[in-house]
Structures are given as C-alpha cells and as structure tokens.
C-alpha cells in the first residue's frame, strides 16, 4: 500500500513551529524500523528531525542509512550505541542528541497517523504544559490481525495515570531523563519518566486523539503478550466502535499494517477492514 506523503503543514497560528526531535531506539529490526520511518516521513508537521539510536551492528546501521537516503527522509540521522547499554540509557543517548525544543518518543515498532505531531504539539503548546501523553490509542495484535481502540479514561477500573507512556511529547529539559540503573533501567523506563513529569511539572492528556497512534504487539516486544492483552480491558464498547466505524476505516488507510484487520469492541468483534 503506497500512501503519498502529505503537504507540510504551515507554522502554528501566532507563533513559529518549534523543532520536534522524534527519538527512535532500534536494534536489528529493519522491517519495523522502516515502517516507523515511513510514518515519520508522512507527518504533516514540517519542522522536525528523526534521531535514530541504533544498538545493532554496523551492517544494520548501514541498511538504515541507505534506506533514509533512498527514501529522502528529511533531517534523519543514525547514531551508533553500545550493545551493553540498557533501554533507559539508550533513550538518554537520543535525548542528548536531540536538537529540538520538543522531543517525541518514536518507537520503532509502533505507528503514528500523519496528523499526530501536528495535533499533539498544538495541544501541548496551547496548554503551556511541560509534556503531553495520549489518553487513548489504537492497539494492534499483528499475529491475528485484531485491533482495539483503547481509552484509558473510559473504563470502570480507570488507572491513576490514564495514558500510554510511549506517546510522550515533552519540552526538552535536563531535569527529566530516563533511569539508567535500578528497577526501571530497562523495563518501564518510560513509566518512571512519566511519574517524574507528573510529580514536578504540568502534564496534559488530550481527549479524542485515539486514532493518532497505533500500539503494536508483534511477538518480539519488550513486554509480553499478556501485558498487551490486559490493555484490552480498556477497549471502547462495541456500540461506540460501530458509531465511529468510518473514522476508524479512514485512519487505518494511513497505517502500513497487514490486512485484513478485525476491529473489536469491549464485548467482541465489530467489523473487518480488508
């Protein structure tokens, strides 16, 4: 499926658009990395850069650079990282390499809608907050082709922090870094940073942006399938999925994922997108 790159979006009204550094950490997952790079390339927000911290071997770094050059990806660079570094330290390498006023997590195995940066950055700037996380998102289970719309606020057991940590966009600030030691140095490093932000700064979670981010389970994730399945407890009811079927279909047109996709609500399958 070839999706044309949309025209750049102009500066935000009344101010210059700040540079957004999209930060990707990757290790020998070329197919997934190419998909994430494609999502970056399709962003309508113009003033951006892609910082790829690569823990893979030299051959993998060369493959990434060749792909970036062949695809004419704007302002992308690949940075080598030691294979001994844990995930928190790797994410800090990307923070240190960022040039932008804003930094955005750009995980190599998830997808972003072309309007994601535009809408989330606009909301963050208008709120004057330190950071933004999405309180809703799509969740795709690639092995079986099933999709859920997760809304962390729309459930009986709403968590204390109803958001997905990997959707973070924040103002770059030396106070806020990922843990490099201790319990969350490799698993949950983004959760710890989210907690630090909530403790020491203003955080916003914009409503009704659930179609802008596709969180993927593919079998090689950091967290287990059981972890991802637990998230489906926060799926929207089937009635709401059915009412927004056209919006979901339109959003899926932008996501380079295998078809068919079976869309589920909290109480079962609702429809299929071929």
């Amino acid at each position: 499926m070839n999706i044309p790159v949309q025209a750049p979006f102009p500066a935000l009204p009344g101010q210059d658009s700040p540079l957004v550094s999209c930060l990707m950490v990757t290790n020998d997952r070329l197919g997934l990395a190419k998909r994430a790079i494609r999502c970056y390339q399709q962003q309508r927000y113009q003033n951006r850069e892609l910082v790829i911290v690569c823990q893979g071997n030299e051959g993998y770094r060369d493959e990434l650079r060749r792909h970036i050059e062949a695809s004419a990806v704007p302002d992308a660079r690949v940075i080598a990282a030691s294979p001994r570094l844990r995930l928190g330290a790797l994410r800090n390498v990307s923070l240190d390499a960022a040039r932008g006023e804003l930094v955005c997590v750009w995980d190599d195995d998830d997808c972003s809608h072309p309007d994601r940066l535009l809408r989330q950055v606009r909301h963050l700037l208008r709120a004057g907050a330190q950071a933004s996380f999405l309180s809703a998102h799509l969740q795709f289970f690639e092995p079986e082709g099933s999709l859920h719309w997760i809304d962390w606020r729309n459930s009986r057991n709403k968590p204390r922090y109803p958001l997905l940590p990997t959707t973070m966009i924040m103002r770059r600030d030396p106070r806020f870094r990922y843990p490099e030691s201790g319990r969350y140095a490799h698993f949950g490093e983004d959760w710890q940073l989210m907690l630090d932000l909530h403790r020491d700064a203003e955080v916003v979670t914009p409503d009704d942006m659930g179609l802008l981010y596709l969180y993927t389970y593919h079998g090689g994730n950091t967290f287990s399938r059981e972890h991802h399945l637990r998230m489906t407890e926060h799926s929207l009811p089937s009635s709401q999925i059915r009412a927004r079927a056209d919006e979901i279909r339109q959003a899926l047109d932008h996501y380079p994922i295998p078809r068919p996709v079976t869309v589920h609500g909290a109480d079962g399958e609702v429809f299929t997108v071929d």
Side-chain angles (χ1 to χ4, degrees), residues 58-72:
E58 185 176 350
Y60 182 50
R61 294 195 298 272
D62 289 343
E63 287 278 1
L64 286 173
R65 292 188 180 103
R66 283 193 291 269
H67 176 71
I68 287 168
E69 183 176 358
S71 304

Side-chain angles (χ1 to χ4, degrees), residues 39 43 106 110-121 123 134 136-138 149 167 169 206-215 247 251-252 254-255:
C39 291
Q43 292 300 302
W106 206 264
D110 294 334
C111 297
S112 289
H113 187 280
D115 286 337
R116 187 235 170 151
L117 285 181
L118 169 65
R119 291 185 59 191
Q120 196 174 357
V121 168
H123 185 273
L134 297 185
H137 59 90
L138 299 176
W149 185 331
T167 62
I169 297 179
D207 292 324
D208 203 27
M209 295 192 188
L211 296 175
L212 299 184
Y213 193 87
L214 186 94
Y215 190 55
E247 295 175 65
L252 287 178
H254 295 287
Y255 289 123

Side-chain angles (χ1 to χ4, degrees), residues 25 55 84-92 177-193 222-223:
V25 172
Q55 207 174 23
R84 294 186 299 273
L85 293 180
R86 306 182 81 185
L87 191 49
L90 290 167
R91 291 199 189 277
N92 285 336
R177 295 177 67 79
Y178 293 93
E180 297 190 14
S181 61
R183 176 183 177 186
Y184 295 114
H186 192 70
F187 293 99
E189 79 296 333
D190 50 0
W191 182 262
Q192 182 60 58
L193 178 57
T222 301
F223 286 97

Side-chain angles (χ1 to χ4, degrees), residues 132-137 150-155 157-165 167 191 194 198 203-207 234:
S132 167
F133 296 85
L134 297 185
S135 60
H137 59 90
I150 308 300
D151 190 332
W152 294 95
R153 293 174 172 173
N154 188 19
S155 62
N157 299 314
K158 186 173 78 171
R160 180 179 180 185
Y161 299 105
L163 54 84
L164 183 67
T167 62
W191 182 262
M194 181 275 296
H198 274 86
V203 176
V204 290
T205 50
D207 292 324
H234 304 281

